[in-house]
Amino acid sequence: MNIRFYNARVLVQDQNQKFQVINGEVWVEGNKIIYVGDGSDTDKVIKKNEIIIWQREVDVKKNLLMPGFKNAHTHTAMTFLRSYADDVPLQVWLNDHIFPKEAMLKEEEAYYLNILGIMEYLTSGITSGFDMYLYPYATAKAAVDTGFRTVITSGLNNFSSSIEEVEEQCHKINEMSDLVSFVPGFHAEYTCSKELLTDLANLANKLHLPVWTHNSETALEVKECKERWGMSPTKFTDSLGMYEYGGGGYHCIWMDDTDYEIFKKHNMSMITCPASNAKLNDGVAPLKKFFDEGINVGIGTDGPSSNNCLDMFREMFLASGLSKLKEKDANSISAEDILRMAISGGAKAMCLDDCDSIAVGKKADIIMIDLQQPNMQPINNIVKNIVYSGSKVNVKMTMVDGNILYEDYKFNIGFDPIEIYEKANRIIGRMDKK
Ligand SMILES: [Zn+2]
């Protein structure tokens, strides 16, 4: 589909990655951006005697086109456990509430629960997710069927799946569609044996792929790992050769100096999940320290059961506010830094460098922010408005891979929202009856 957006404000980045707002047009041909500019130099794109047939020409009415947010850590299909078990510590939440219900989940149910999560992403301007959950084929199929972009990592642990299955998932999902990709991962140090982790490190090195995991999420996790192995989770898993091709950690709250060195040495990324960390009382991630060390940072919602909502505006505000509180310094992190984490930081972690900005040649993962609403006025500083006062009500359109999947509060994903809601309620209802 060829789409021309005109009369737009466009959020672009200069060579130093600094955000700028320009007035003009964005042209999308198929799944690629072919023109960004003020409209006076379109002869760069249109050759003599050639015309582009537009399927749609959209008057943006001076609203803002910007790159979509990257949700760099999530467990999408956990939508069925939203508001099901809350207000308890992480280990109680996992062992007493989540694991027993997950054991009852069927693959076809996970498919529809993924679609529910994808719908919520679209309403928040999220154009791709980095997913770790049961039934990765259901996750991949839901993404492909709805047109959503997803990077999947395995949640390998002692109780489910195997190295052989992870290798097979890696090959099959990476060949399925341009919209989905797969990298190896393990749930956490505390749910995996040393043998299993060693096998995973060997697999990642054989396939030349990065490895991802929940890392140093709670103080207890780090304390127990040190008692078990005499090292932090980062140091222990690195000692097994886990990060030769990079990767990273989700949460990374309770880090020591050696851990940062390992992240730098292997060019790893950290993904912060401030809402989940706050709700589970895990702690506040040292974002400024990661930033000062030059380590790439992305932002994730974590799953809809620990958060409980899949909203990047809420995450950005919390990442900013909690970090300022932790540092006791309102100047410790800027709105620009936070927005960069939510877009290009996540994209880098997810190996989606071709989806990280509105620029010629990039994939068309674009959102439209409605500026004609009270929380976006006056327009003193658009980046600050997005991070500090923006909300999902400002998301007027979400485009993934050149397709508009959400526009003016309506979905265009091939599924009736009411049917998806009914299915989600039936799934958790079935489990509760047993
Ligand atoms: Zn998680």
Side-chain angles (χ1 to χ4, degrees):
M1 198 168 181
N2 299 335
I3 303 180
R4 172 184 171 231
F5 295 100
Y6 65 97
N7 194 22
R9 287 184 168 97
V10 188
L11 189 73
V12 296
Q13 285 170 277
D14 65 16
Q15 295 100 322
N16 302 319
Q17 300 292 298
K18 212 169 159 34
F19 288 113
Q20 288 178 334
V21 177
I22 61 166
N23 293 304
E25 306 204 358
V26 175
W27 293 5
V28 174
E29 186 175 51
N31 69 344
K32 290 263 175 65
I33 296 167
I34 59 165
Y35 175 79
V36 184
D38 64 7
S40 66
D41 54 353
T42 53
D43 54 341
K44 288 191 300 196
V45 184
I46 309 176
K47 293 173 193 76
K48 220 174 171 187
N49 301 326
E50 189 187 80
I51 51 162
I52 297 177
I53 308 289
W54 299 112
Q55 271 76 46
R56 272 193 71 182
E57 293 186 77
V58 179
D59 182 352
V60 182
K61 298 180 179 165
K62 288 277 180 263
N63 286 312
L64 181 75
L65 296 176
M66 62 175 281
F69 300 118
K70 318 301 179 226
N71 184 4
H73 176 57
T74 184
H75 314 275
T76 308
M78 288 182 86
T79 39
F80 72 121
L81 294 170
R82 188 200 311 270
S83 304
Y84 190 82
D86 302 279
D87 311 327
V88 290
L90 176 69
Q91 297 305 332
V92 176
W93 175 77
L94 268 179
N95 293 317
D96 296 357
H97 302 285
I98 302 304
F99 289 154
K101 281 287 173 288
E102 285 182 335
M104 301 165 80
L105 182 67
K106 299 172 185 171
E107 184 160 10
E108 65 267 30
E109 293 174 331
Y111 172 78
Y112 291 106
L113 296 167
N114 269 293
I115 292 171
L116 178 58
I118 287 168
M119 290 166 63
E120 194 175 353
Y121 296 148
L122 297 173
T123 64
S124 187
I126 293 169
T127 51
S128 54
F130 195 174
D131 204 285
M132 174 190 275
Y133 203 52
L134 307 165
Y135 304 123
Y137 295 119
T139 308
K141 187 168 166 26
V144 173
D145 290 353
T146 54
F148 188 71
R149 196 180 304 285
T150 298
V151 180
I152 297 168
T153 186
S154 45
L156 186 68
N157 59 64
N158 292 335
F159 319 105
S160 65
S161 193
S162 66
I163 288 290
E164 292 73 26
E165 282 175 313
V166 171
E167 184 165 9
E168 191 182 339
Q169 288 159 3
C170 189
H171 291 305
K172 283 191 176 167
I173 291 173
N174 279 325
E175 281 165 20
M176 198 181 270
S177 156
D178 280 350
L179 284 172
V180 291
S181 56
F182 186 97
V183 291
F186 58 98
H187 173 258
E189 175 276 332
Y190 60 89
T191 51
C192 296
S193 69
K194 187 175 179 180
E195 294 69 34
L196 191 64
L197 292 172
T198 306
D199 288 347
L200 186 70
N202 291 339
L203 176 67
N205 291 333
K206 184 174 97 174
L207 301 174
H208 298 195
L209 287 172
V211 180
W212 283 86
T213 189
H214 294 104
N215 186 342
S216 305
E217 182 174 0
T218 64
L220 179 69
E221 167 197 338
V222 176
K223 178 175 166 280
E224 289 182 347
C225 183
K226 285 183 174 169
E227 284 167 4
R228 245 188 315 273
W229 308 111
M231 292 177 265
S232 69
T234 304
K235 196 168 180 194
F236 170 63
T237 51
D238 179 52
S239 75
L240 305 175
M242 194 68 81
Y243 309 112
E244 296 307 307
Y245 293 89
Y250 309 124
H251 306 298
C252 301
I253 297 170
W254 303 95
M255 306 284 281
D256 60 35
D257 286 345
T258 326
D259 297 337
Y260 294 108
E261 291 308 313
I262 291 168
F263 268 64
K264 284 196 282 187
K265 183 175 145 202
H266 296 299
N267 200 18
M268 293 161 68
S269 300
M270 87 78 99
I271 307 302
T272 190
C273 306
S276 172
N277 295 161
K279 184 162 170 281
L280 289 165
N281 188 31
D282 293 335
V284 178
L287 285 195
K288 185 176 181 330
K289 173 75 173 162
F290 276 96
F291 210 69
D292 291 346
E293 295 286 345
I295 297 166
N296 181 52
V297 178
I299 302 179
T301 58
D302 210 354
S305 176
S306 65
N307 185 320
N308 301 356
C309 101
L310 305 171
D311 181 1
M312 191 53 76
F313 292 95
R314 193 163 95 158
E315 298 302 325
M316 289 193 295
F317 185 79
L318 279 170
S320 164
L322 292 175
S323 186
K324 288 167 192 282
L325 280 171
K326 183 180 177 68
E327 302 299 330
K328 298 185 173 61
D329 180 5
N331 194 32
S332 58
I333 202 152
S334 70
E336 223 181 88
D337 293 336
I338 294 288
L339 189 60
R340 216 175 281 119
M341 289 175 193
I343 301 170
S344 48
K348 187 175 179 200
M350 295 157 74
C351 300
L352 294 178
D353 295 315
D354 54 353
C355 309
D356 64 350
S357 57
I358 298 190
V360 172
K362 299 278 182 176
K363 287 189 178 154
D365 288 8
I366 298 171
I367 62 175
M368 191 194 300
I369 297 292
D370 188 356
L371 300 176
Q372 307 305 317
Q373 296 206 25
N375 67 331
M376 285 286 143
Q377 296 289 332
I379 305 175
N380 287 324
N381 183 312
I382 284 182
V383 169
K384 289 181 187 173
N385 276 5
I386 293 166
V387 174
Y388 296 144
S389 69
S391 93
K392 62 198 303 177
V393 301
N394 301 115
V395 176
K396 203 166 164 48
M397 179 209 79
T398 305
M399 166 186 271
V400 180
D401 211 39
N403 294 310
I404 296 174
L405 304 186
Y406 177 75
E407 188 175 19
D408 292 329
Y409 309 106
K410 291 194 180 66
F411 297 96
N412 178 31
I413 55 169
F415 292 89
D416 177 356
I418 300 299
E419 276 179 31
I420 298 295
Y421 307 151
E422 283 172 356
K423 275 185 193 292
N425 281 287
R426 270 205 299 274
I427 290 165
I428 191 68
R430 173 187 75 77
M431 293 179 183
D432 276 342
K433 268 189 213 132
K434 290 201 172 167

